[in-house]
Amino acid sequence: MSAFVNHDTFQTLVRTLRETPEPDAASVWPATQMELLAEAGGCRWNVAKQFGGDGVDSAEMLQIYRELSIGSLLTTFILTQRNAACQRIESSPNTSLTEKLLPALCRGRIFATVGISHLTTSRQHVQRPVVSVTECAGKTGFRLSGIVPWATAAIQADLIVTGGSLRDGRQILVAIPRSREGVTVLPPIALMGLSSSQTSLVELNDVFVSFDDVLHGPVDRVMSAGAGGGAGSLGTSAVAIGTAQGTLKMFANEVDQRPELSEFLKPLEEEADGLAHQLQEAASGDQTTGLFSTESIRRRANSLVVRAAQTWLAATKGAGYTIGHPAERAVRESMFFLVWSCPQQVLEGNLRELTQEYRCQS
């Protein structure tokens, strides 16, 4: 940990999150978990010091995401979406907006999230833009209309970082207050897992944004402008690896009672430790090819988190198959990584692994 992230405070946070019951319904926000995170300084970690943040670098942020996921995937996932909003704001050339928003975000006075999947992996096959942008007469700003398909914690957010496409194909990224006229956050979606992240669709009905609200653009491929992890980034892999390690810690409790299961736990623990090391190596090196490529690490992290949960469930026998058992929840939540910010190449790799396994067994 850096000098600005207290190691003891952070480890206490992880331990407390592991011991604190989490909600599992779309109607219940994990208020206790988010308060614990804020009290430990989580609002400051990824924001530059000049705005009141801790200025944690990207490599260390990966370590934070991984270790925090050991304590709570739900809390970490919500944090990644808030931090993604902060990254897009901080990288904006609109310095007046950056200087206005980031200090408030660091102090926890406002909460932000992103709705950007339609600009990256989600619905890119649709010819008509999911969110259309028109320039106002007199060039006073823009108007956005459409549906943002995935916005985590939108109903809790003061600010939503989202965007859309103009007729000529250029895109903009904007910071819109949830209270802005024309913004409607629909009720949170009941998901297979992580429903309490309160992920919603957001309707934009002729929403006006001035140039003061624009973070990036209009440009081609706005998600390539400025900083940001992007789909399938190492950050998502860090969360997957940490979630697997958290699952294996709970599986270890089962092994304490049934030592004969240790032969199944140890290889998974070694695999997780190896992936965690490779993640940190990739953070400081070439992420384009080979074992340390972003794609390779994400594919193997997806595989690990799914297999860890399934192995624990099998070890619990019938008890783990009942609703409410932590192994049952771990299996549901592990499926999340097959759909969250998962590029096609990674998905194909995971599908290929599954189908090859079945062919080998037939």
Side-chain angles (χ1 to χ4, degrees):
M1 294 296 161
S2 72
F4 293 95
V5 180
N6 184 278
H7 180 270
D8 291 340
T9 299
F10 181 78
Q11 293 304 321
T12 298
L13 170 64
V14 173
R15 183 170 58 253
T16 304
L17 287 172
R18 283 182 59 80
E19 297 169 352
T20 303
E22 288 186 347
D24 195 22
S27 59
V28 186
W29 175 247
T32 299
Q33 284 76 10
M34 298 311 293
E35 288 171 6
L36 289 168
L37 179 68
E39 289 170 1
C43 295
R44 301 190 305 270
W45 292 336
N46 81 318
V47 178
K49 296 174 187 177
Q50 69 189 88
F51 303 110
D54 290 337
V56 173
D57 65 34
S58 58
E60 187 173 9
M61 204 65 221
L62 292 178
Q63 183 181 349
I64 287 175
Y65 284 150
R66 182 183 61 78
E67 294 191 28
L68 194 65
S69 298
I70 294 173
S72 170
L73 168 59
L74 176 63
T75 305
T76 310
F77 171 53
I78 294 171
L79 178 64
T80 65
Q81 303 307 286
R82 180 264 183 194
N83 283 358
C86 292
Q87 284 179 283
R88 296 294 171 181
I89 293 168
E90 188 171 323
S91 67
S92 172
N94 186 348
T95 55
S96 61
L97 187 58
T98 298
E99 292 169 357
K100 172 186 174 183
L101 295 177
L102 286 181
L105 284 161
C106 281
R107 297 185 182 98
R109 292 179 180 173
I110 60 174
F111 179 74
T113 191
V114 289
I116 54 177
S117 64
H118 58 290
L119 300 172
T120 54
T121 57
S122 176
R123 305 195 184 188
Q124 288 295 290
H125 60 283
V126 179
Q127 290 186 348
R128 183 179 178 181
V130 176
V131 176
S132 61
V133 180
T134 56
E135 194 165 6
C136 298
K139 296 187 176 181
T140 57
F142 303 92
R143 290 193 175 274
L144 280 67
S145 293
I147 296 180
V148 176
W150 298 100
T152 294
I155 200 170
Q156 302 291 334
D158 303 289
L159 196 70
I160 301 173
V161 172
T162 187
S165 302
L166 284 82
R167 184 171 297 181
D168 62 8
R170 291 180 301 156
Q171 299 174 323
I172 62 172
L173 202 66
V174 297
I176 307 176
R178 180 170 57 89
S179 58
R180 180 71 55 85
E181 183 179 358
V183 177
T184 302
V185 178
L186 299 184
I189 304 166
L191 302 172
M192 183 177 180
L194 302 175
S195 288
S196 288
S197 67
Q198 296 195 334
T199 298
S200 304
L201 280 71
V202 180
E203 292 182 347
L204 304 176
N205 184 14
D206 199 32
V207 176
F208 173 74
V209 294
S210 70
F211 292 109
D212 291 339
D213 299 316
V214 176
L215 296 170
H216 296 280
V219 293
D220 294 329
R221 298 179 63 197
V222 74
M223 293 304 292
S224 298
S233 69
L234 290 177
T236 54
S237 297
V239 178
I241 296 167
T243 301
Q245 290 177 312
T247 295
L248 294 174
K249 282 183 178 292
M250 292 185 283
F251 182 20
N253 294 332
E254 195 85 20
V255 173
D256 288 342
Q257 305 301 318
R258 298 163 61 196
E260 70 275 11
L261 294 174
S262 62
E263 69 170 294
F264 308 110
L265 173 64
K266 284 188 92 172
L268 291 170
E269 289 180 326
E270 291 172 358
E271 183 179 350
D273 290 343
L275 259 179
H277 175 72
Q278 291 172 17
L279 177 76
Q280 293 305 127
E281 288 289 317
S284 57
D286 182 10
Q287 300 174 17
T288 58
T289 60
L291 194 65
F292 297 104
S293 72
T294 301
E295 179 183 319
S296 172
I297 290 176
R298 177 63 193 276
R299 177 182 56 77
R300 289 180 289 131
N302 281 5
S303 174
L304 172 65
V305 70
V306 170
R307 287 183 288 112
Q310 291 175 335
T311 304
W312 181 29
L313 176 67
T316 63
K317 299 184 178 180
Y321 197 65
T322 58
I323 294 294
H325 191 284
E328 171 267 336
R329 181 168 181 168
V331 169
R332 286 190 288 111
E333 293 185 348
S334 72
M335 297 293 105
F336 172 62
F337 294 97
L338 299 180
V339 299
W340 175 41
S341 190
C342 194
Q344 187 64 26
Q345 306 96 305
V346 174
L347 177 59
E348 288 176 359
N350 289 137
L351 290 172
R352 194 168 292 113
E353 177 185 20
L354 289 170
T355 55
Q356 285 176 347
E357 284 181 2
Y358 283 119
R359 282 203 298 270
C360 290
Q361 293 169 9
S362 63

